[in-house]
Amino acid sequence: MTTNYHHKRRAKSLITGLFSCSLLFTICFLTSCIDYDDVTREVSVDIQLVMPEEFTQGSDMEGHTVTLTQLNTSNTVTATTDAQGVASFKGIIPDVYSVSTSWDITPEEYTQLTGDPIVNEGAVVSGNINSQLLTEDQSTTPLRLNTQLAINRSLVIGKIASSGCKDNNNKNYVVDQYIELYNQSDKEIDVAGLYIGLVESNSTPAYTLPQLEEKFNNEVIMLKQVFRIPLDADHKVAPGGTVVIANCAIDHTVNASASHNLLTADFDVNDTRPKNAYVNNPDVRDMDLVYTYVSSLPIMNLTQGGPCALVIFRTDDNIEDWDLAYNYGKTSGNQWKVMPKKYVIDAVEILKKSAKGIDLATKRFYDDLDAGYANIEAASGYTGEIMYRKTSSRRGKDGHKILQDTNNSTADFKVSTTIGIREYDE
């Protein structure tokens, strides 16, 4: 037993020794392949920007900053791209680097570069390579840096509950109408001073699209009402947050089981008409009524089945100074506020559906505001149908939902009878 033990121990030592020699040889062999002079030899590197695929109308390649950051350090070096989109770096110490670039474009630049007139607050072009080994000259074969486009989304009209429903006695019930705004952006937004405009909704448009083009060069919208979120206090909305504006901020499920509890609405309208169904909730802040085409109508005049179009906008203008217009060719009757559409942040158009289909002749918006339309199924409403934006596959920086916004309400909106306030997935 003792003899066998010593034989086994000597054999194990021999194997260990051979493995150590082999490992030492491998290390020495690999080490001999490295030219340690390369560690201190500086290299030249060119970075070639590859613009986002959405830039279908060309792009300005010059003047963009590219940054190299040495791995596990705060050491950075920058270079600016030339007219071909190449950033040239000289005297780079061989090592592993992150490569990055980022710049902002304006809404006008976005439209010019993409050909897409979608309303936004500009966009960010960015590109990044996390770990790139730079040990050799790369001036004849530049390193390609792909870039992506991210729209700076701000507020959108996320939901429109205009159809009303039937109450517990099967009577028409419309006091539960509301709209909901959604903060798409990655930043907190103060909505104090934001305007909500309701577009005139005659069964025959006050101005057809050709008439708007003829008289106003397609630069205005005819508003029947304008409301404003009060300026007397900030109202900040977090990324992914909502603003619910109700005609009547009460629990409507008490009166209509198919309706909604709007006690948590952020704002409601101030309706003090006697013997009126629109109860003003004193615990909810009132919207400012800036203009209404009928002095006796202080509520949001959302047409149950349509047509019903609305915009959100900001301006420093005194809206009282905006022109008023009668229907095309008329000199009497209702008057509409003539709003410059350049102030629009978001716009949604709802058209009425009948047995004959959708009457596209009643559209108030050209494609630059809404290339499509939303609609409920019922011609007259009272079905509890709510139009809400679909959720896109994108997410904000903190993971919040980004709602679909292709500037086409036909593609962007869905209809539900069950979705609740501040919800965007059934």
Side-chain angles (χ1 to χ4, degrees):
M1 293 290 292
T2 303
T3 302
N4 289 339
Y5 170 77
H6 286 298
H7 281 306
K8 290 178 180 179
R9 186 171 183 178
R10 283 196 297 272
K12 183 177 181 181
S13 298
L14 179 60
I15 292 171
T16 303
L18 289 172
F19 177 77
S20 299
C21 291
S22 176
L23 180 61
L24 180 60
F25 173 80
T26 301
I27 294 172
C28 290
F29 175 79
L30 291 176
T31 303
S32 67
C33 295
I34 298 176
D35 182 357
Y36 282 100
D37 288 339
D38 286 345
V39 176
T40 56
R41 181 178 62 84
E42 296 177 342
V43 296
S44 297
V45 177
D46 286 352
I47 309 293
Q48 171 70 65
L49 292 187
V50 180
M51 290 300 181
E53 60 182 11
E54 294 91 344
F55 283 6
T56 58
Q57 309 300 310
S59 58
D60 186 359
M61 307 287 282
E62 189 171 7
H64 305 302
T65 300
V66 178
T67 302
L68 301 182
T69 303
Q70 198 170 8
L71 188 66
N72 298 323
T73 75
S74 58
N75 299 331
T76 63
V77 59
T78 62
T80 303
T81 58
D82 59 20
Q84 284 70 48
V86 176
S88 297
F89 294 85
K90 308 295 184 184
I92 301 300
I93 298 173
D95 204 343
V96 178
Y97 291 84
S98 66
V99 187
S100 62
T101 188
S102 178
W103 68 90
D104 296 325
I105 60 175
T106 66
E108 294 75 20
E109 289 172 330
Y110 177 90
T111 299
Q112 179 183 355
L113 294 169
T114 66
D116 187 350
I118 184 173
V119 175
N120 60 70
E121 293 191 346
V124 176
V125 182
S126 64
N128 188 74
I129 303 174
N130 287 324
S131 298
Q132 179 66 45
L133 181 64
L134 301 176
T135 59
E136 298 179 354
D137 286 343
Q138 288 188 247
S139 52
T140 56
T141 56
L143 177 66
R144 292 168 63 85
L145 177 58
N146 294 316
T147 60
Q148 298 80 39
L149 182 66
I151 298 173
N152 292 333
R153 301 179 185 275
S154 181
L155 289 172
V156 294
I157 300 166
K159 196 175 297 173
I160 306 165
S162 59
S163 73
C165 63
K166 294 291 185 178
D167 68 9
N168 296 334
N169 297 315
N170 202 34
K171 301 292 185 181
N172 292 342
Y173 190 82
V174 295
V175 296
D176 61 346
Q177 295 172 322
Y178 71 92
I179 64 174
E180 186 171 306
L181 312 181
Y182 185 86
N183 181 4
Q184 299 269 61
S185 74
D186 293 318
K187 298 179 181 179
E188 186 178 65
I189 296 176
D190 186 0
V191 296
L194 182 77
Y195 290 96
I196 291 87
L198 275 66
V199 180
E200 66 82 17
S201 56
N202 295 345
S203 55
T204 299
Y207 283 79
T208 64
L209 294 181
Q211 288 166 351
L212 280 176
E213 180 71 33
E214 172 198 331
K215 189 165 183 179
F216 297 101
N217 196 31
N218 187 29
E219 294 178 347
V220 304
I221 306 168
M222 298 295 170
L223 300 182
K224 64 180 179 181
Q225 290 180 305
V226 180
F227 294 85
R228 182 180 62 197
I229 295 177
L231 284 163
D232 58 354
D234 292 345
H235 190 88
K236 296 181 179 179
V237 184
T242 57
V243 183
V244 175
I245 303 169
N247 266 335
C248 182
I250 65 172
D251 183 359
H252 294 281
T253 62
V254 174
N255 304 316
S257 59
S259 189
H260 300 276
N261 183 348
L262 298 179
L263 281 171
T264 61
D266 299 280
F267 302 94
D268 67 1
V269 300
N270 186 11
D271 188 357
T272 57
R273 293 174 293 175
K275 299 181 181 180
N276 190 48
Y278 291 87
V279 178
N280 183 255
N281 187 337
D283 296 325
V284 177
R285 294 176 67 195
D286 293 334
M287 295 287 286
D288 295 332
L289 177 58
V290 180
Y291 177 75
T292 181
Y293 70 115
V294 178
S295 60
S296 61
L297 194 63
I299 62 167
M300 293 185 293
N301 185 224
L302 300 166
T303 311
Q304 290 87 268
C308 181
L310 58 149
V311 296
I312 56 176
F313 64 97
R314 289 189 188 273
T315 179
D316 293 327
D317 292 357
N318 183 348
I319 292 180
E320 291 185 1
D321 294 336
W322 284 0
D323 291 338
L324 289 169
Y326 295 108
N327 288 3
Y328 180 80
K330 301 295 184 181
T331 57
S332 63
N334 291 327
Q335 290 184 294
W336 322 110
K337 273 290 179 183
V338 182
M339 174 197 166
K341 71 178 187 181
K342 63 183 180 180
Y343 298 127
V344 171
I345 296 171
D346 191 27
V348 174
E349 181 158 19
I350 302 165
L351 296 183
K352 187 179 182 68
K353 183 176 182 179
S354 69
K356 296 180 179 180
I358 302 293
D359 186 2
L360 296 178
T362 62
K363 264 189 74 66
R364 269 74 170 176
F365 293 158
Y366 276 100
D367 290 355
D368 57 346
L369 290 183
D370 190 346
Y373 55 86
N375 68 275
I376 62 172
E377 291 299 314
S380 301
Y382 310 114
T383 53
E385 293 175 273
I386 294 174
M387 289 156 285
Y388 71 99
R389 281 191 189 272
K390 301 173 185 177
T391 300
S392 76
S393 59
R394 299 180 60 193
R395 290 294 182 268
K397 289 182 180 178
D398 63 356
H400 68 270
K401 295 175 182 177
I402 299 294
L403 305 184
Q404 187 160 306
D405 182 16
T406 65
N407 208 43
N408 184 327
S409 292
T410 306
D412 295 342
F413 277 80
K414 295 177 68 174
V415 175
S416 171
T417 57
T418 60
I419 198 165
I421 65 170
R422 309 186 200 280
E423 294 178 353
Y424 285 93
D425 288 308
E426 293 187 273

